[in-house]
Amino acid sequence: MSRTLADELSDDAVILGAEAPDWRSAIRIAGDALTASGSTTDEYTAEMIRAVEELGPYIVIAPSIALAHSRPSPAVLKTGISWVSLAHPVEFGHAANDPVRLVVGLAAVDHDSHLTTMSNLAGVLSGDIDSLLEATNPEQLRALIRDNTQ
């Protein structure tokens, strides 16, 4: 049986109701969660921020949702994902999808290892985002993700 997105989210990778004054802070929180879960080093967080500074807010993939990531690098220790719901929406500068309420951090060791995670994430994010944002603890979030898995 394959692992689901809920299985991939450890307690350390989930931050709910985070306070972030701006997009850089929101990405730092997602990066810190990736580091806490053992997926990355702190350098990967800096790489994610540099990617947005250089390429713009392309990571805001849908209304209210940012997928923070960077290229595979030595700063990625293992493929992983983090989940950060924000207490207050944050502007990333995206014309259509701002403000962001959910930042998903993604780290991949290569260009293929995260494809299953991305597929699982797409299914979850096409569901009821509002219910996912109401989770108050990691276990409740994982249960809601299982309910939203399509």
Side-chain angles (χ1 to χ4, degrees), residues 47-131:
E47 291 172 5
M48 291 191 297
I49 291 171
R50 275 195 301 274
V52 175
E53 289 172 342
E54 292 172 10
L55 303 171
Y58 75 99
I59 67 168
V60 184
I61 59 171
S64 302
I65 303 168
L67 181 62
H69 63 282
S70 187
R71 295 175 179 211
S73 78
V76 179
L77 306 174
K78 65 178 184 179
T79 296
I81 192 166
S82 65
W83 183 281
V84 177
S85 66
L86 300 173
H88 306 286
V90 171
E91 299 285 333
F92 275 63
H94 194 281
N97 294 330
D98 269 346
V100 168
R101 297 185 303 155
L102 172 64
V103 180
V104 177
L106 177 66
V109 294
D110 57 41
H111 291 289
D112 297 325
S113 63
H114 65 295
L115 296 179
T116 299
T117 299
M118 290 292 295
S119 176
N120 291 338
L121 182 62
V124 169
L125 295 180
S126 66
D128 183 1
I129 296 301
D130 289 335
S131 71

Side-chain angles (χ1 to χ4, degrees), residues 19-23 25-26 29 90:
E19 294 284 347
D22 56 40
W23 67 264
S25 296
I29 295 167
V90 171

